[in-house]
Amino acid sequence: MSVPPDLHQQYLQACQNLSQPENHFVARVLQEADKSDNIRQTKGITLKIAGNNRLVPVQRVTDEDVQVLASVLCSAVFVTGLDLRYNDLTDVGVRHVATFLQENSTLRYLNLMFNDIGTSGAELIANALHSNETLLHLRMTGNKIGNKGGMYFASMLQVNCTLEKLDLGDCDMGTQCLIAIASVLTQNKAVRAINLNRPLLYSQEEETTIHMALMLKNNSSLVELHLCKHEIKSLGVERLCEALYENCSLRYLDLSCNKITREDVKFLGELLKQNQTLEILDLNSNRIEDDGAIYLSEALALYNRTLKALSVVSNNISGKGLAALSQAMKINVELSYIYIWGNNFDEAACTAFSELIQAGRLKPNCTDVEPYEVDGHVHLAELSHGLKKHYYWTPSYGQVKNTAANASLAIAAVSEYL
């Protein structure tokens, strides 16, 4: 068995060759990687060089740092993941990342979320993916690439047949870009998960949601779709539900932070009576109220045996609706994860969910509330569990523990890095 190269020593040598100062945080990460058992066993490793690491002193990666790092990693075939989130990369540094993607044949995961990448950087990354045939998961979350930058990724998806998950949430994309992506996904058979959260929309006509619905009618490979903060209302919900009567692949639908009301939930309730595919439904921060919770409860109690996780956090649901949801859980044993914090609990609702937890029907890691008692009265405290517990932050060392606390990881992961 060949001896893997010494990443740390290569990095120090590259700094000297390029006349760049050493980034002590990068050096520390590479030292730890050199000691990894996965390297000794020639298994793939992910380098976690996240700028929001609080366990060790962090010196954020700059454009100059990434030039040195890319020169070191170009021959490191055992590096299959690179996490550069929350650093200071701009379009200048992304040029080196793009070159690395064109030359590297082993990288499967690249996280660039919340850097300072703009439209030009998006063009460079997208163009690199025209020829790259190994990258499975790309996160561009929080980089302000704009509508034009999003169009570059839409064009890339016409060519790339490898990428499985693309995260373009919080990227300031617009209507034109979303419609283009929806159109491309009617043909692309590789993408299994896409995040299009929080676009910049200036119309109330829900054109983008209608195009997403049309895409779902024709797409048979998409597993996960995030449409958070899309201004979705009654027409959008109706069209999405119509599409999902025909779609047999989507398992995870995120409709959080929209304008879905109790009347709109009727469409979702009717869908759940027939749909045999959806496993995760996120309705966090809408306004479904008691009536909406009851519609969902009836469908889940009497008809649906596929949905495993439901989030109705902050939906102005009171005791009546919460009681209906707890009763649905008693009947439907397939529904294992439920997130309810931010609603209007009364003592009966607190008692109902407390009984579910104490009886073992609802596992503590599968909900975001924990019961406690004061003066003979049951109350609920908030837990940090949910569908997106590790969306913005993941542990710097080791694997994510208790994946059940994050239903999206436990149920609908579409690759080893999700």
Side-chain angles (χ1 to χ4, degrees), residues 180-369:
I181 290 175
S183 299
V184 171
L185 289 179
T186 60
Q187 302 296 326
N188 185 298
K189 304 301 181 185
V191 174
R192 302 186 64 204
I194 192 160
N195 187 329
L196 301 170
N197 288 350
R198 212 225 65 178
L200 298 183
L201 303 176
Y202 299 100
S203 170
Q204 297 296 315
E205 300 300 322
E206 302 189 78
E207 301 102 317
T208 56
T209 306
I210 292 170
H211 278 83
M212 289 295 162
L214 290 172
M215 176 272 293
L216 287 173
K217 285 186 177 181
N218 297 289
N219 185 292
S220 60
S221 56
L222 199 66
V223 171
E224 181 177 332
L225 175 62
H226 294 267
L227 299 176
C228 173
K229 299 182 182 178
H230 273 242
E231 300 287 321
I232 297 174
K233 300 182 284 295
S234 181
L235 176 62
V237 172
E238 183 178 7
R239 293 296 178 86
L240 286 171
C241 289
E242 288 176 357
L244 290 174
Y245 282 108
E246 301 179 30
N247 182 287
C248 296
S249 65
L250 197 72
R251 288 190 285 154
Y252 184 175
L253 178 61
D254 177 4
L255 298 178
S256 59
C257 302
N258 282 291
K259 296 184 176 180
I260 300 171
T261 68
R262 59 187 180 184
E263 293 300 318
D264 306 333
V265 175
K266 289 181 180 179
F267 298 116
L268 287 166
E270 290 301 315
L271 172 68
L272 290 176
K273 290 179 181 179
Q274 299 185 42
N275 182 278
Q276 300 298 314
T277 309
L278 273 181
E279 297 182 3
I280 302 177
L281 178 59
D282 189 352
L283 294 173
N284 169 32
S285 298
N286 283 282
R287 197 174 181 83
I288 71 170
E289 302 179 309
D290 282 350
D291 289 347
I294 291 171
Y295 294 142
L296 293 175
S297 301
E298 290 175 351
L300 293 169
L302 301 176
Y303 301 94
N304 186 282
R305 291 298 180 269
T306 308
L307 199 74
K308 297 179 181 179
L310 173 67
S311 177
V312 290
V313 172
S314 299
N315 265 277
N316 200 34
I317 305 171
S318 61
K320 183 180 179 181
L322 291 167
L325 288 170
S326 67
Q327 185 62 30
M329 287 210 73
K330 290 181 180 179
I331 299 172
N332 184 346
V333 296
E334 297 300 323
L335 183 61
S336 303
Y337 305 79
I338 190 163
Y339 305 102
I340 56 174
W341 184 256
N343 291 296
N344 305 317
F345 300 101
D346 60 11
E347 187 167 356
C350 292
T351 300
F353 279 96
S354 175
E355 290 175 350
L356 286 174
I357 294 170
Q358 291 175 354
R361 169 62 189 89
L362 181 58
K363 304 297 182 184
N365 282 333
C366 298
T367 186
D368 58 348
V369 294

Side-chain angles (χ1 to χ4, degrees), residues 34 49 53 55 84 95 149 165 183 228 232 234 375 399 406:
D34 287 332
I49 315 177
N53 191 322
L55 297 180
L84 291 170
R95 186 175 300 277
K165 179 162 185 175
S183 299
C228 173
I232 297 174
S234 181
D375 296 333
Q399 300 298 315
N406 184 346

Side-chain angles (χ1 to χ4, degrees), residues 360-400:
R361 169 62 189 89
L362 181 58
K363 304 297 182 184
N365 282 333
C366 298
T367 186
D368 58 348
V369 294
E370 181 179 37
Y372 66 97
E373 189 172 321
V374 177
D375 296 333
H377 297 282
V378 177
H379 303 272
L380 297 176
E382 183 184 13
L383 297 176
S384 63
H385 302 163
L387 294 173
K388 301 175 184 176
K389 180 175 181 178
H390 295 296
Y391 180 69
Y392 293 105
W393 172 89
T394 53
S396 299
Y397 294 96
Q399 300 298 315
V400 174

